[in-house]
Every structure is written in structure tokens, then in C-alpha cells.
Amino acid sequence: MALHKDREGRFTASSHAVALGHGYQSPQAFWRRWHGMEEPDEQAVARMQWGTDHECDAIAEYEVLTGDIVTSQQEWIAWEDWSGATLDGRTQLGIAEFKCPQKLYETPSLMYWIQVQSQLQFTDEGVADLCAWTPDECRIWRTTKSQSYWPSVESILKEYWRSLTVGLEPKRGQFKKIPLEATWERIA
């Protein structure tokens, strides 16, 4: 698939939280997986497949709840020579990211805020909606582009990308959790 080819060798927005200490795995575990030294977790792969299979359901429910139409689904946005993002969709206000968790959360994880802030930087949009969908319920949160986010994380993200590409596993503590505060407004 051409989309996966575009992403090849790039440290994508969906994984930026790893380098910032807020990811779904440690910077070292991600590095080992990137280099093929660890197999992906089978349960995580199944959860991702569930999300892929039901993203169209989340989009349909989002459109009903917001009255907005989602366009440009799965659009690849390259950022310089090292990063980028695959947008789940564009809206009249900006961009939208869709998650299909097994169980809904009250407040989105900081790693999702990091992901959409990077996407906002790459697209030069100002607003992002995060839609979390299950067969029983759908919740939508909105955030705006943080002017302080990118200047505070860009050098860290580039340093981590360099560790991925030069083949030196990051040392423990090299990429520490940096203080970030997500701002979400629940809109549905």
C-alpha cells in the first residue's frame, strides 16, 4: 500500500509521545521494535485492527453528532525528512482523529493530545477534534493548536529520530517525561 511506503523510515506523529515520555511503551522498547528486535504485542495488534475496522463507524457517528463532513481520509502529510502523519480526516474547522477503544475514557490520554498537536503543526491547522467511539457510545473532544508545544518538543523528537536512524538504542533516562498539559473541551 502506498500509504505505508510514504511512512517508511519516518517517526510519525502517532508515536511522538514515546520520545516525550508519555507513550504506550518506553523509548527503548519502541526503538527495539523499530529495529525488528521485538515482535509487536499480539493484543495491541488486535486492538489496532479493531480500530481500523471500525474507523468508518466512528466517522459516521462523528458526522451525525457534529453535522460536519470528514474529508481527506488517510491523507499523508510529510514533515521535513524525518516525520509526518496520516490524518484520519479533515473537517471544516481543522482535523479529526478517531479512536475506537475497547472501553471509553473520561479524559483522553496525553499521548493523543501530543499526536494531534504534531498533526496541527504539520498541517498548519488550528483546531483538532478527537473522537472516541465504541458500539455503545461516542465522545468527542476539541483542542486548539498550542503555540508552545512544537518549540518545546521539536529538538527532543529530532534527537529521538536520530537514535532510531543511527542504530544506537537510547539509554534509560535519555528521553525523560517532559511536562505537558493537554487542553481538551468535550463537545459531544
Side-chain angles (χ1 to χ4, degrees):
M1 179 182 218
L3 181 61
H4 293 295
K5 186 79 171 147
D6 291 337
R7 295 168 54 103
E8 206 171 280
R10 290 183 184 259
F11 181 42
T12 60
S14 60
S15 299
H16 284 179
V18 169
L20 303 175
H22 298 283
Y24 52 90
Q25 60 187 171
S26 73
Q28 295 77 22
F30 184 88
W31 185 94
R32 288 189 294 274
R33 206 172 110 228
W34 175 284
H35 287 281
M37 301 165 100
E38 288 185 4
E39 292 296 318
D41 176 293
E42 288 183 27
Q43 290 179 339
V45 170
R47 286 190 302 271
M48 285 175 47
Q49 188 59 53
W50 163 265
T52 300
D53 293 346
H54 292 280
E55 190 168 295
C56 60
D57 299 319
I59 291 170
E61 187 71 12
Y62 173 88
E63 290 179 343
V64 167
L65 292 172
T66 65
D68 204 346
I69 302 297
V70 177
T71 62
S72 302
Q73 295 170 29
Q74 299 302 307
E75 175 186 1
W76 169 251
I77 305 292
W79 182 257
E80 298 178 355
D81 63 347
W82 63 278
S83 194
T86 303
L87 300 181
D88 287 347
R90 289 188 182 263
T91 66
Q92 291 175 349
L93 290 176
I95 61 171
E97 179 66 28
F98 297 92
K99 303 294 180 188
C100 300
Q102 301 299 305
K103 182 180 171 200
L104 278 180
Y105 26 83
E106 288 302 315
T107 305
S109 166
L110 184 57
M111 71 179 172
Y112 299 143
W113 186 81
I114 292 168
Q115 178 182 3
V116 299
Q117 286 300 317
S118 292
Q119 291 172 343
L120 288 169
Q121 175 67 29
F122 300 166
T123 60
D124 204 28
E125 293 284 357
V127 175
D129 287 349
L130 175 72
C131 176
W133 176 92
T134 69
D136 299 320
E137 189 177 359
C138 183
R139 295 179 185 167
I140 304 168
W141 296 268
R142 180 166 288 155
T143 191
T144 57
K145 185 176 184 177
S146 165
Q147 298 305 313
S148 63
Y149 168 76
W150 195 251
S152 68
V153 303
E154 182 180 20
S155 64
I156 298 166
L157 295 174
K158 282 184 175 181
E159 181 184 349
Y160 187 75
W161 175 73
R162 280 193 282 288
S163 81
L164 291 173
T165 58
V166 299
L168 293 173
E169 183 172 349
K171 296 179 177 122
R172 292 211 180 276
Q174 182 178 351
F175 294 94
K176 296 181 175 133
K177 187 176 284 192
I178 68 163
L180 293 169
E181 189 173 324
T183 53
W184 294 105
E185 175 191 359
R186 179 132 178 231
I187 62 169

